Amino acid sequence: MNQHSGTTAVPRPAVEVDEESAPFFDAAARGILMVQRCDDCRAWLAPVARLCTECLSESVSWTAASGRGSVHTFGIMHQIYHPGFESEIPYNIAVVELEEGPRLQTNIVGCANSDITVGMKVSVTFDKISDTVSIPKFAPA
Ligand SMILES: [Zn+2]
């Protein structure tokens, strides 16, 4: 595939939507955060789980999460690991623990990096990066 965007900016690595992650991205495009849940023991699982980490059941279903959580840990990135993100330095990478339990690696938006604290209450917001892909990020609740 030959793509020319007409800009000299280095494109960011594309988000790959595959059969397994499609329900996650379909819901995200509609503003809904989906995680997975075990049909047998009802454990909440971080996407994309092929089997339950609690009981090893292979019967897991996509389920809407509340979108609320708290910052479990975070870091501020000052290094450019990919030139597509150069304009965003410094940026944060955070792990948010959802109310339901699963932890998601994400970014905190809507506040200064210096205002991010562990335990801070956050809620999901979606960063639409294309017609088909919206990335869940979290803002102070
Ligand atoms: Zn289970």
Side-chain angles (χ1 to χ4, degrees):
M1 198 160 58
N2 189 12
Q3 288 185 321
H4 290 283
S5 64
T7 168
T8 55
V10 176
R12 294 176 182 183
V15 173
E16 300 283 346
V17 179
D18 58 20
E19 197 175 316
E20 284 187 317
S21 62
F24 179 86
F25 287 106
D26 288 349
R30 292 180 284 119
I32 300 168
L33 180 65
M34 297 289 266
V35 292
Q36 286 170 302
R37 196 169 191 190
C38 177
D39 295 327
D40 291 319
C41 77
R42 309 305 293 158
W44 292 91
L45 310 166
V48 174
R50 289 179 180 79
L51 49 78
C52 176
T53 50
E54 299 298 318
C55 75
L56 305 183
S57 169
E58 292 179 15
S59 182
V60 297
S61 298
W62 287 100
T63 307
S66 66
R68 294 187 299 270
S70 59
V71 175
H72 176 71
T73 186
F74 71 98
I76 308 299
M77 310 306 278
H78 296 276
Q79 299 287 330
I80 301 165
Y81 293 105
H82 187 285
F85 294 94
E86 183 170 359
S87 64
E88 304 220 350
I89 296 289
Y91 60 93
N92 68 76
I93 292 180
V95 175
V96 164
E97 184 171 287
L98 300 177
E99 278 186 351
E100 293 83 2
R103 293 172 182 170
L104 303 179
Q105 184 172 313
T106 184
N107 306 112
I108 305 299
V109 297
C111 70
N113 286 336
S114 58
D115 290 339
I116 302 170
T117 56
V118 169
M120 184 171 84
K121 299 290 183 199
V122 291
S123 61
V124 73
T125 179
F126 289 89
D127 185 6
K128 183 175 180 176
I129 61 172
S130 75
D131 285 340
T132 53
V133 177
S134 292
I135 302 293
K137 299 189 173 182
F138 286 81

